[in-house]
Amino acid sequence: MNLTIIGAGYVGLVTAAVFAKLGNEVWVVEIDNDKLKKLSCGEIPFYEPGLGELITKNTSAGKLRFTKSYKEAILGSEIIFVCVGTPSKNGKVDLSYVYSATKSVAENLKNPATIVIKSTVPPGINSKIEKWMKRFTKVSFDLASVPEFLREGKALEDSLHPYRVVIGVEKKSVAKKLLQLHKKIPGKRLVCNSASAQMIKYASNAYLPTKISFANSISILCDKFGAKVEDVMKGVGMDKRIGPDFLAAGLGYGGSCFPKDISALLHLSKKAGYNFSILKAVEKTNRKQVDYFVKKVVRLCGGSVKDKILVVLGLSFKPDTSDIRNARSLLVIEELQEKGAKIRACDPVAISEAQKVIKEVKFFGDPYEAMKGVGALILVTEWEQYKNLDFVKIKKLLKSPIVIDGWNVYNRKRLEKLGFVYEGIGK
Ligand code: UDX
Protein backbone atom coordinates (compact mmCIF):
# COMPACT_ATOMS: atom_id res chain seq x y z
CA MET A 1 0.00 0.00 0.00
CA ASN A 2 1.02 3.64 -0.34
CA LEU A 3 1.36 5.23 3.07
CA THR A 4 2.31 8.57 4.54
CA ILE A 5 3.64 9.06 8.04
CA ILE A 6 3.39 12.57 9.47
CA GLY A 7 6.20 13.28 11.93
CA ALA A 8 9.67 11.74 12.06
CA GLY A 9 9.77 11.35 15.84
CA TYR A 10 10.12 8.08 17.68
CA VAL A 11 6.76 6.59 16.74
CA GLY A 12 6.78 8.00 13.21
CA LEU A 13 10.21 6.69 12.26
CA VAL A 14 9.61 3.24 13.69
CA THR A 15 6.17 2.98 12.02
CA ALA A 16 7.65 4.13 8.71
CA ALA A 17 10.60 1.73 8.85
CA VAL A 18 8.43 -1.23 9.80
CA PHE A 19 5.78 -0.66 7.12
CA ALA A 20 8.51 -0.13 4.49
CA LYS A 21 10.16 -3.39 5.59
CA LEU A 22 6.80 -5.13 5.18
CA GLY A 23 6.68 -4.08 1.52
CA ASN A 24 4.71 -0.82 1.52
CA GLU A 25 5.70 2.42 -0.24
CA VAL A 26 6.18 4.93 2.56
CA TRP A 27 6.60 8.70 2.62
CA VAL A 28 7.55 10.49 5.82
CA VAL A 29 6.65 14.16 6.20
CA GLU A 30 8.93 16.11 8.51
CA ILE A 31 8.80 19.90 8.68
CA ASP A 32 12.07 20.40 10.60
CA ASN A 33 14.73 21.12 7.94
CA ASP A 34 17.71 19.98 10.03
CA LYS A 35 16.09 16.72 10.95
CA LEU A 36 15.07 16.13 7.36
CA LYS A 37 18.59 16.69 6.08
CA LYS A 38 20.03 14.27 8.62
CA LEU A 39 17.39 11.64 7.92
CA SER A 40 18.04 11.83 4.19
CA CYS A 41 21.69 10.91 4.98
CA GLY A 42 20.57 7.97 7.17
CA GLU A 43 21.19 9.72 10.50
CA ILE A 44 18.52 9.19 13.15
CA PRO A 45 18.21 11.69 16.00
CA PHE A 46 18.19 9.15 18.87
CA TYR A 47 19.64 5.77 19.81
CA GLU A 48 17.40 2.82 18.98
CA PRO A 49 18.98 -0.59 18.22
CA GLY A 50 18.54 -1.61 14.55
CA LEU A 51 16.44 1.36 13.47
CA GLY A 52 19.18 3.28 11.61
CA GLU A 53 20.08 0.21 9.55
CA LEU A 54 16.45 -0.52 8.69
CA ILE A 55 15.86 3.06 7.59
CA THR A 56 19.00 3.15 5.44
CA LYS A 57 18.14 -0.19 3.84
CA ASN A 58 14.64 0.88 2.89
CA THR A 59 15.68 4.36 1.79
CA SER A 60 18.25 2.81 -0.55
CA ALA A 61 15.63 0.37 -1.85
CA GLY A 62 13.36 3.32 -2.64
CA LYS A 63 10.65 2.06 -0.27
CA LEU A 64 11.05 4.90 2.22
CA ARG A 65 11.23 8.59 1.33
CA PHE A 66 11.45 11.75 3.39
CA THR A 67 9.97 15.10 2.42
CA LYS A 68 8.87 18.42 3.82
CA SER A 69 5.92 18.56 1.44
CA TYR A 70 2.53 17.24 2.53
CA LYS A 71 1.40 17.60 -1.07
CA GLU A 72 4.14 15.37 -2.48
CA ALA A 73 3.72 12.69 0.19
CA ILE A 74 -0.02 12.28 0.42
CA LEU A 75 -0.87 12.57 -3.27
CA GLY A 76 -1.04 8.79 -3.79
CA SER A 77 -1.45 7.65 -0.16
CA GLU A 78 -4.37 5.46 0.85
CA ILE A 79 -3.52 5.64 4.54
CA ILE A 80 -1.98 8.58 6.40
CA PHE A 81 -0.61 8.12 9.92
CA VAL A 82 -0.46 11.10 12.25
CA CYS A 83 2.54 10.47 14.54
CA VAL A 84 3.24 13.92 15.91
CA GLY A 85 4.03 14.65 19.55
CA THR A 86 1.37 15.36 22.17
CA PRO A 87 3.42 16.91 24.97
CA SER A 88 1.89 17.44 28.36
CA LYS A 89 1.71 20.80 30.13
CA ASN A 90 0.95 19.99 33.78
CA GLY A 91 -1.15 17.07 32.59
CA LYS A 92 -3.02 19.05 29.95
CA VAL A 93 -2.40 17.40 26.60
CA ASP A 94 -1.07 19.85 24.04
CA LEU A 95 -2.83 18.94 20.80
CA SER A 96 -1.46 21.82 18.72
CA TYR A 97 0.77 19.52 16.60
CA VAL A 98 -2.15 17.15 15.97
CA TYR A 99 -4.35 20.02 14.84
CA SER A 100 -1.71 21.61 12.62
CA ALA A 101 -0.79 18.24 11.05
CA THR A 102 -4.42 17.29 10.36
CA LYS A 103 -5.07 20.77 8.92
CA SER A 104 -2.13 20.34 6.51
CA VAL A 105 -3.33 16.86 5.58
CA ALA A 106 -6.83 18.20 4.86
CA GLU A 107 -5.52 21.11 2.79
CA ASN A 108 -3.49 18.76 0.61
CA LEU A 109 -5.95 15.90 0.29
CA LYS A 110 -6.67 15.19 -3.40
CA ASN A 111 -8.15 11.68 -3.07
CA PRO A 112 -10.19 9.95 -0.36
CA ALA A 113 -7.96 8.48 2.35
CA THR A 114 -7.95 6.95 5.82
CA ILE A 115 -6.28 9.11 8.44
CA VAL A 116 -4.98 7.14 11.41
CA ILE A 117 -4.16 8.93 14.64
CA LYS A 118 -1.20 7.14 16.20
CA SER A 119 -0.29 9.97 18.57
CA THR A 120 -1.55 9.47 22.14
CA VAL A 121 -4.64 11.69 22.35
CA PRO A 122 -7.56 12.14 24.77
CA PRO A 123 -10.26 9.50 24.16
CA GLY A 124 -13.07 10.69 21.94
CA ILE A 125 -11.09 13.40 20.17
CA ASN A 126 -11.60 11.99 16.65
CA SER A 127 -15.03 13.60 16.17
CA LYS A 128 -13.48 17.01 16.93
CA ILE A 129 -10.58 16.35 14.54
CA GLU A 130 -13.05 15.29 11.86
CA LYS A 131 -15.02 18.56 12.16
CA TRP A 132 -11.75 20.50 12.18
CA MET A 133 -10.46 18.80 9.01
CA LYS A 134 -13.75 19.30 7.18
CA ARG A 135 -13.15 23.04 7.43
CA PHE A 136 -10.18 22.65 5.08
CA THR A 137 -11.29 20.02 2.56
CA LYS A 138 -14.25 18.79 0.55
CA VAL A 139 -12.54 15.45 -0.17
CA SER A 140 -13.98 12.55 1.85
CA PHE A 141 -11.84 10.84 4.46
CA ASP A 142 -12.19 8.41 7.37
CA LEU A 143 -10.55 8.82 10.74
CA ALA A 144 -9.24 5.93 12.81
CA SER A 145 -7.05 5.35 15.83
CA VAL A 146 -4.33 2.71 16.03
CA PRO A 147 -2.39 3.38 19.24
CA GLU A 148 1.29 2.62 19.57
CA PHE A 149 2.54 0.32 22.32
CA LEU A 150 6.26 0.11 21.51
CA ARG A 151 8.97 0.33 24.13
CA GLU A 152 12.07 2.42 23.56
CA GLY A 153 15.12 0.23 23.09
CA LYS A 154 12.87 -2.58 21.82
CA ALA A 155 10.93 -0.58 19.27
CA LEU A 156 11.45 -2.84 16.25
CA GLU A 157 10.84 -6.04 18.18
CA ASP A 158 7.63 -4.59 19.67
CA SER A 159 6.39 -3.28 16.31
CA LEU A 160 7.15 -6.44 14.36
CA HIS A 161 5.92 -8.81 17.10
CA PRO A 162 3.39 -6.88 19.19
CA TYR A 163 1.15 -8.50 21.80
CA ARG A 164 -1.81 -6.92 20.05
CA VAL A 165 -2.90 -4.50 17.38
CA VAL A 166 -5.78 -2.28 18.47
CA ILE A 167 -7.85 -0.83 15.64
CA GLY A 168 -10.22 1.96 16.60
CA VAL A 169 -12.75 2.73 13.87
CA GLU A 170 -16.30 3.87 13.32
CA LYS A 171 -16.85 1.90 10.07
CA LYS A 172 -16.38 -1.76 9.18
CA SER A 173 -14.82 -0.87 5.79
CA VAL A 174 -12.06 1.10 7.56
CA ALA A 175 -11.42 -1.79 9.96
CA LYS A 176 -11.06 -4.11 6.97
CA LYS A 177 -8.52 -1.83 5.32
CA LEU A 178 -6.44 -1.47 8.50
CA LEU A 179 -6.59 -5.19 9.26
CA GLN A 180 -5.30 -5.78 5.73
CA LEU A 181 -2.42 -3.33 6.27
CA HIS A 182 -1.40 -5.13 9.50
CA LYS A 183 -1.80 -8.60 7.97
CA LYS A 184 1.91 -9.47 8.09
CA ILE A 185 2.21 -8.37 11.72
CA PRO A 186 1.47 -11.15 14.26
CA GLY A 187 -0.31 -10.72 17.62
CA LYS A 188 -3.94 -10.50 18.71
CA ARG A 189 -6.39 -8.09 17.06
CA LEU A 190 -8.97 -5.91 18.75
CA VAL A 191 -11.38 -3.85 16.69
CA CYS A 192 -13.30 -1.25 18.70
CA ASN A 193 -14.40 2.35 18.37
CA SER A 194 -11.72 5.03 18.26
CA ALA A 195 -12.47 6.39 21.77
CA SER A 196 -11.98 2.89 23.20
CA ALA A 197 -8.71 2.45 21.29
CA GLN A 198 -7.46 5.74 22.69
CA MET A 199 -8.58 4.76 26.20
CA ILE A 200 -6.79 1.39 25.85
CA LYS A 201 -3.55 3.28 25.33
CA TYR A 202 -4.01 5.40 28.47
CA ALA A 203 -5.27 2.49 30.53
CA SER A 204 -2.28 0.32 29.53
CA ASN A 205 0.19 3.07 30.30
CA ALA A 206 -1.48 3.56 33.67
CA TYR A 207 -1.84 -0.11 34.58
CA LEU A 208 1.80 -1.10 33.94
CA PRO A 209 3.13 1.64 36.27
CA THR A 210 0.52 0.51 38.81
CA LYS A 211 2.18 -2.92 38.81
CA ILE A 212 5.59 -1.26 39.17
CA SER A 213 4.56 1.00 42.05
CA PHE A 214 2.92 -1.96 43.75
CA ALA A 215 6.15 -3.98 43.47
CA ASN A 216 8.10 -1.00 44.79
CA SER A 217 5.80 -0.69 47.81
CA ILE A 218 6.31 -4.38 48.50
CA SER A 219 10.09 -3.87 48.17
CA ILE A 220 10.03 -1.45 51.09
CA LEU A 221 8.18 -3.99 53.21
CA CYS A 222 10.67 -6.67 52.11
CA ASP A 223 13.49 -4.49 53.46
CA LYS A 224 11.66 -4.24 56.76
CA PHE A 225 10.73 -7.92 57.08
CA GLY A 226 13.86 -9.57 55.65
CA ALA A 227 12.13 -10.86 52.51
CA LYS A 228 13.65 -10.70 49.02
CA VAL A 229 11.49 -8.70 46.63
CA GLU A 230 12.79 -10.56 43.58
CA ASP A 231 11.66 -13.90 45.00
CA VAL A 232 8.44 -12.38 46.25
CA MET A 233 7.53 -10.92 42.86
CA LYS A 234 8.60 -14.11 41.11
CA GLY A 235 6.18 -16.01 43.32
CA VAL A 236 3.44 -13.44 42.85
CA GLY A 237 3.94 -13.38 39.06
CA MET A 238 3.65 -17.16 38.83
CA ASP A 239 -0.07 -16.68 39.28
CA LYS A 240 -1.34 -16.48 35.70
CA ARG A 241 -3.98 -13.96 36.77
CA ILE A 242 -1.18 -11.55 37.73
CA GLY A 243 1.64 -12.44 35.30
CA PRO A 244 5.40 -12.00 35.80
CA ASP A 245 6.02 -8.80 33.80
CA PHE A 246 6.46 -5.27 35.11
CA LEU A 247 6.93 -6.41 38.68
CA ALA A 248 10.63 -5.52 38.89
CA ALA A 249 11.18 -3.33 41.92
CA GLY A 250 13.90 -0.73 41.76
CA LEU A 251 14.09 3.00 41.38
CA GLY A 252 10.67 3.33 39.76
CA TYR A 253 9.51 4.15 36.27
CA GLY A 254 10.68 7.02 34.11
CA GLY A 255 10.69 7.77 30.39
CA SER A 256 8.57 9.79 28.06
CA CYS A 257 5.36 7.76 28.23
CA PHE A 258 4.36 6.48 31.68
CA PRO A 259 4.84 9.78 33.58
CA LYS A 260 3.25 11.83 30.77
CA ASP A 261 0.28 9.53 30.22
CA ILE A 262 -0.42 9.17 33.93
CA SER A 263 -0.47 12.89 34.45
CA ALA A 264 -2.67 13.30 31.34
CA LEU A 265 -5.11 10.64 32.57
CA LEU A 266 -5.25 12.29 35.99
CA HIS A 267 -5.97 15.61 34.31
CA LEU A 268 -8.68 14.07 32.09
CA SER A 269 -10.22 12.34 35.13
CA LYS A 270 -10.31 15.57 37.09
CA LYS A 271 -11.96 17.34 34.18
CA ALA A 272 -14.52 14.55 34.03
CA GLY A 273 -15.20 14.95 37.77
CA TYR A 274 -13.63 11.64 38.79
CA ASN A 275 -11.07 11.28 41.57
CA PHE A 276 -8.70 8.58 40.21
CA SER A 277 -7.16 7.91 43.60
CA ILE A 278 -5.30 4.67 42.69
CA LEU A 279 -3.42 6.49 39.96
CA LYS A 280 -2.52 9.39 42.25
CA ALA A 281 -1.00 6.87 44.65
CA VAL A 282 0.94 5.22 41.81
CA GLU A 283 2.51 8.55 40.90
CA LYS A 284 3.30 9.43 44.52
CA THR A 285 4.79 6.00 45.24
CA ASN A 286 7.02 6.32 42.21
CA ARG A 287 8.40 9.65 43.38
CA LYS A 288 8.91 8.41 46.93
CA GLN A 289 10.92 5.42 45.75
CA VAL A 290 13.75 7.76 44.73
CA ASP A 291 13.70 9.44 48.17
CA TYR A 292 13.80 6.01 49.80
CA PHE A 293 16.84 5.09 47.70
CA VAL A 294 18.67 8.35 48.38
CA LYS A 295 18.12 7.87 52.12
CA LYS A 296 19.71 4.43 51.77
CA VAL A 297 22.73 5.97 50.03
CA VAL A 298 23.13 8.55 52.79
CA ARG A 299 22.80 5.90 55.51
CA LEU A 300 25.38 3.61 53.89
CA CYS A 301 27.74 6.54 53.45
CA GLY A 302 27.74 6.96 57.22
CA GLY A 303 24.90 9.46 57.64
CA SER A 304 26.14 12.18 55.30
CA VAL A 305 27.26 12.53 51.68
CA LYS A 306 28.54 16.08 52.13
CA ASP A 307 31.71 16.56 50.04
CA LYS A 308 31.79 12.84 49.22
CA ILE A 309 32.52 11.86 45.63
CA LEU A 310 29.97 9.33 44.40
CA VAL A 311 29.75 7.48 41.08
CA VAL A 312 26.35 7.14 39.43
CA LEU A 313 26.21 4.33 36.86
CA GLY A 314 23.60 4.95 34.19
CA LEU A 315 21.80 8.12 33.11
CA SER A 316 19.21 7.02 30.54
CA PHE A 317 15.74 6.28 31.90
CA LYS A 318 16.34 2.60 31.19
CA PRO A 319 18.96 0.55 29.33
CA ASP A 320 19.28 0.55 25.51
CA THR A 321 18.15 4.11 24.99
CA SER A 322 19.73 7.56 25.01
CA ASP A 323 16.47 9.05 26.30
CA ILE A 324 16.81 10.75 29.66
CA ARG A 325 13.27 12.14 29.92
CA ASN A 326 12.03 11.63 33.48
CA ALA A 327 15.08 9.45 34.14
CA ARG A 328 15.49 8.50 37.77
CA SER A 329 19.16 9.51 37.42
CA LEU A 330 18.15 13.18 37.21
CA LEU A 331 16.30 12.98 40.53
CA VAL A 332 18.90 10.84 42.30
CA ILE A 333 21.71 13.19 41.22
CA GLU A 334 19.73 16.31 42.14
CA GLU A 335 18.87 14.97 45.62
CA LEU A 336 22.45 13.84 46.30
CA GLN A 337 23.84 17.18 45.12
CA GLU A 338 21.42 19.00 47.41
CA LYS A 339 22.91 16.97 50.25
CA GLY A 340 26.40 18.12 49.26
CA ALA A 341 27.68 15.13 47.26
CA LYS A 342 30.03 15.54 44.30
CA ILE A 343 28.80 13.39 41.44
CA ARG A 344 30.61 11.53 38.71
CA ALA A 345 28.26 9.94 36.17
CA CYS A 346 28.65 7.28 33.50
CA ASP A 347 26.46 6.10 30.66
CA PRO A 348 27.20 4.18 27.45
CA VAL A 349 25.10 6.45 25.18
CA ALA A 350 23.24 9.15 27.12
CA ILE A 351 26.04 11.48 28.25
CA SER A 352 25.48 14.11 25.55
CA GLU A 353 21.75 14.25 26.33
CA ALA A 354 22.47 14.44 30.08
CA GLN A 355 25.02 17.22 29.63
CA LYS A 356 22.22 19.45 28.34
CA VAL A 357 20.30 19.27 31.63
CA ILE A 358 22.57 18.15 34.47
CA LYS A 359 24.90 20.70 35.97
CA GLU A 360 28.11 20.30 37.97
CA VAL A 361 28.63 16.63 37.23
CA LYS A 362 31.78 15.05 35.82
CA PHE A 363 30.91 12.64 33.02
CA PHE A 364 32.87 9.51 32.18
CA GLY A 365 32.48 6.99 29.36
CA ASP A 366 34.68 4.46 31.17
CA PRO A 367 33.17 3.50 34.55
CA TYR A 368 36.51 2.30 35.97
CA GLU A 369 38.04 5.69 35.21
CA ALA A 370 35.17 7.32 37.14
CA MET A 371 35.60 5.05 40.16
CA LYS A 372 39.11 6.06 41.15
CA GLY A 373 39.08 7.27 44.76
CA VAL A 374 35.31 7.62 45.17
CA GLY A 375 33.16 7.09 48.25
CA ALA A 376 30.45 4.80 46.82
CA LEU A 377 29.17 3.25 43.63
CA ILE A 378 25.49 3.74 42.84
CA LEU A 379 23.72 1.77 40.11
CA VAL A 380 20.87 3.83 38.66
CA THR A 381 20.33 2.33 35.18
CA GLU A 382 20.88 -1.39 34.74
CA TRP A 383 22.82 -1.34 31.44
CA GLU A 384 24.15 -4.79 30.48
CA GLN A 385 27.76 -3.52 30.63
CA TYR A 386 27.25 -2.44 34.26
CA LYS A 387 25.87 -5.81 35.28
CA ASN A 388 29.16 -7.55 34.56
CA LEU A 389 31.72 -5.24 36.12
CA ASP A 390 35.05 -6.48 37.49
CA PHE A 391 34.50 -6.03 41.24
CA VAL A 392 37.97 -7.27 42.16
CA LYS A 393 39.33 -4.33 40.16
CA ILE A 394 36.66 -1.98 41.57
CA LYS A 395 37.59 -2.89 45.14
CA LYS A 396 41.08 -1.50 44.49
CA LEU A 397 39.70 1.68 42.87
CA LEU A 398 37.06 2.81 45.39
CA LYS A 399 38.05 4.79 48.46
CA SER A 400 35.17 3.20 50.40
CA PRO A 401 33.90 -0.18 49.16
CA ILE A 402 30.19 0.69 49.14
CA VAL A 403 27.78 -0.45 46.42
CA ILE A 404 24.14 0.67 46.35
CA ASP A 405 22.19 -1.16 43.71
CA GLY A 406 19.04 0.52 42.38
CA TRP A 407 17.93 -2.52 40.37
CA ASN A 408 19.06 -5.53 42.44
CA VAL A 409 21.42 -6.75 39.73
CA TYR A 410 24.49 -7.60 41.79
CA ASN A 411 25.13 -10.71 43.88
CA ARG A 412 25.15 -9.72 47.53
CA LYS A 413 27.09 -12.76 48.75
CA ARG A 414 29.82 -12.32 46.17
CA LEU A 415 30.23 -8.61 46.89
CA GLU A 416 30.25 -9.11 50.64
CA LYS A 417 32.87 -11.84 50.23
CA LEU A 418 35.02 -9.35 48.34
CA GLY A 419 34.67 -6.94 51.25
CA PHE A 420 32.01 -4.59 49.92
CA VAL A 421 29.17 -3.08 51.91
CA TYR A 422 26.18 -3.80 49.66
CA GLU A 423 22.51 -2.93 49.57
CA GLY A 424 19.84 -3.31 46.93
CA ILE A 425 16.16 -2.46 47.18
CA GLY A 426 13.98 -4.93 49.07
CA LYS A 427 16.82 -7.40 49.12
C1 UDX B 1 6.32 2.14 27.79
C2 UDX B 1 5.37 0.97 27.49
O1 UDX B 1 5.99 -0.27 27.86
C3 UDX B 1 4.98 0.96 26.02
O2 UDX B 1 4.04 -0.07 25.78
C4 UDX B 1 4.40 2.32 25.68
O3 UDX B 1 4.04 2.39 24.32
C5 UDX B 1 5.37 3.43 26.01
O4 UDX B 1 5.73 3.36 27.41
P1 UDX B 1 8.92 2.64 27.54
O5 UDX B 1 8.65 3.86 28.34
O6 UDX B 1 9.73 2.77 26.31
O7 UDX B 1 7.54 1.92 27.11
O8 UDX B 1 9.71 1.60 28.48
P2 UDX B 1 9.37 0.38 29.43
O9 UDX B 1 10.28 -0.72 29.08
O10 UDX B 1 7.94 0.08 29.47
O11 UDX B 1 9.83 0.95 30.85
C6 UDX B 1 9.24 2.11 31.41
C7 UDX B 1 9.81 2.38 32.77
O12 UDX B 1 9.36 1.40 33.70
C8 UDX B 1 11.33 2.34 32.82
O13 UDX B 1 11.77 3.43 33.61
C9 UDX B 1 11.65 1.03 33.51
O14 UDX B 1 12.86 1.06 34.22
C10 UDX B 1 10.46 0.89 34.45
N1 UDX B 1 10.15 -0.50 34.83
C11 UDX B 1 9.77 -1.40 33.88
C12 UDX B 1 10.23 -0.88 36.16
O15 UDX B 1 10.55 -0.06 37.05
N2 UDX B 1 9.91 -2.17 36.51
C13 UDX B 1 9.52 -3.09 35.57
O16 UDX B 1 9.23 -4.23 35.96
C14 UDX B 1 9.46 -2.69 34.23
Side-chain angles (χ1 to χ4, degrees):
M1 282 188 196
N2 289 327
L3 312 175
T4 289
I5 313 291
I6 313 290
Y10 216 95
V11 171
L13 281 179
V14 174
T15 306
V18 164
F19 279 127
K21 177 185 160 66
L22 296 176
N24 300 285
E25 301 284 330
V26 183
W27 277 100
V28 177
V29 179
E30 173 54 57
I31 52 171
D32 180 327
N33 277 330
D34 271 1
K35 216 175 184 182
L36 198 60
K37 226 181 186 172
K38 284 186 182 155
L39 285 167
S40 308
C41 313
E43 258 182 70
I44 59 164
F46 47 81
Y47 174 79
E48 179 62 40
L51 183 60
E53 292 88 321
L54 193 58
I55 287 180
T56 310
K57 196 172 159 197
N58 283 288
T59 314
S60 311
K63 289 272 176 207
L64 182 58
R65 295 178 182 87
F66 295 94
T67 179
K68 201 181 172 168
S69 161
Y70 276 81
K71 192 174 168 195
E72 182 180 27
I74 69 179
L75 187 65
S77 285
E78 285 169 71
I79 303 177
I80 299 161
F81 285 91
V82 176
C83 300
V84 295
T86 49
S88 155
K89 283 181 191 157
N90 301 324
K92 191 173 185 307
V93 185
D94 176 359
L95 290 168
S96 54
Y97 299 120
V98 171
Y99 281 112
S100 73
T102 47
K103 176 175 185 257
S104 301
V105 168
E107 285 170 342
N108 290 284
L109 211 54
K110 293 278 175 289
N111 305 303
T114 298
I115 291 119
V116 180
I117 309 293
K118 240 189 187 321
S119 309
T120 304
V121 291
I125 198 82
N126 279 19
S127 54
K128 278 191 194 156
I129 297 177
E130 187 176 353
K131 271 190 206 138
W132 164 250
M133 287 182 68
K134 280 185 174 163
R135 283 163 61 179
F136 309 104
T137 185
K138 292 271 172 291
V139 180
S140 71
F141 62 88
D142 289 301
L143 270 177
S145 182
V146 179
E148 185 52 66
F149 299 105
L150 62 84
R151 287 166 298 173
E152 292 186 24
K154 300 230 171 0
L156 294 183
E157 192 184 315
D158 284 355
S159 304
L160 289 165
H161 303 278
Y163 292 119
R164 77 305 209 183
V165 176
V166 173
I167 295 188
V169 287
E170 267 59 55
K171 281 187 199 163
K172 272 191 182 159
S173 57
V174 181
K176 204 172 155 199
K177 192 186 240 184
L178 292 172
L179 285 168
Q180 178 62 29
L181 175 67
H182 289 85
K183 210 172 171 187
K184 290 185 185 161
I185 299 178
K188 292 181 178 164
R189 300 290 186 264
L190 179 72
V191 177
C192 54
N193 69 22
S194 58
S196 305
Q198 289 154 350
M199 188 60 95
I200 288 169
K201 171 71 193 241
Y202 276 111
S204 301
N205 276 1
Y207 185 70
L208 292 171
T210 303
K211 285 184 92 177
I212 296 170
S213 278
F214 185 83
N216 283 330
S217 298
I218 294 290
S219 77
I220 294 178
L221 291 180
C222 286
D223 267 344
K224 296 199 188 300
F225 292 101
K228 280 191 191 172
V229 72
E230 282 168 294
D231 291 340
V232 171
M233 285 306 149
K234 200 171 167 187
V236 169
M238 280 174 181
D239 185 330
K240 255 191 166 179
R241 293 169 301 175
I242 299 172
D245 297 333
F246 279 74
L247 289 177
L251 274 164
Y253 60 81
S256 68
C257 292
F258 288 169
K260 173 173 90 80
D261 292 348
I262 285 184
S263 89
L265 194 53
L266 283 171
H267 184 85
L268 290 168
S269 307
K270 194 175 172 192
K271 247 176 78 181
Y274 174 62
N275 179 10
F276 203 153
S277 49
I278 295 177
L279 207 52
K280 284 183 186 164
V282 168
E283 204 178 42
K284 201 168 165 192
T285 303
N286 195 52
R287 182 65 189 79
K288 278 166 71 179
Q289 194 72 359
V290 170
D291 302 342
Y292 180 69
F293 182 73
V294 168
K295 271 191 193 141
K296 236 182 221 285
V297 174
V298 173
R299 179 168 45 78
L300 286 168
C301 288
S304 168
V305 289
K306 194 164 183 336
D307 296 327
K308 292 214 165 103
I309 306 175
L310 308 175
V311 169
V312 167
L313 292 183
L315 294 163
S316 56
F317 86 90
K318 65 171 192 177
D320 295 324
T321 177
S322 55
D323 196 344
I324 59 154
R325 282 174 288 177
N326 288 299
R328 303 297 87 186
S329 63
L330 307 182
L331 299 173
V332 170
I333 290 174
E334 191 184 295
E335 283 196 27
L336 288 171
Q337 281 179 329
E338 272 170 18
K339 295 183 187 314
K342 295 189 169 71
I343 305 293
R344 294 183 186 173
C346 310
D347 194 281
V349 299
I351 289 181
S352 55
E353 282 303 309
Q355 275 169 332
K356 295 178 194 161
V357 289
I358 307 179
K359 302 275 168 285
E360 288 172 33
V361 165
K362 275 193 183 165
F363 295 98
F364 292 78
D366 177 1
Y368 298 108
E369 198 56 40
M371 286 177 209
K372 285 182 189 157
V374 307
L377 186 160
I378 304 168
L379 181 80
V380 172
T381 312
E382 71 284 30
W383 280 92
E384 207 51 44
Q385 41 273 72
Y386 299 153
K387 286 186 186 170
N388 302 303
L389 292 171
D390 179 349
F391 277 97
V392 175
K393 184 171 168 182
I394 292 173
K395 179 80 196 321
K396 291 180 191 142
L397 294 173
L398 297 187
K399 194 171 151 195
S400 317
I402 301 168
V403 176
I404 306 122
D405 178 356
W407 291 99
N408 294 336
V409 301
Y410 300 129
N411 183 316
R412 172 198 288 282
K413 274 194 188 141
R414 183 163 176 264
L415 289 196
E416 286 180 348
K417 218 170 158 186
L418 287 171
F420 285 94
V421 173
Y422 171 83
E423 250 190 65
I425 293 186
K427 206 172 169 179

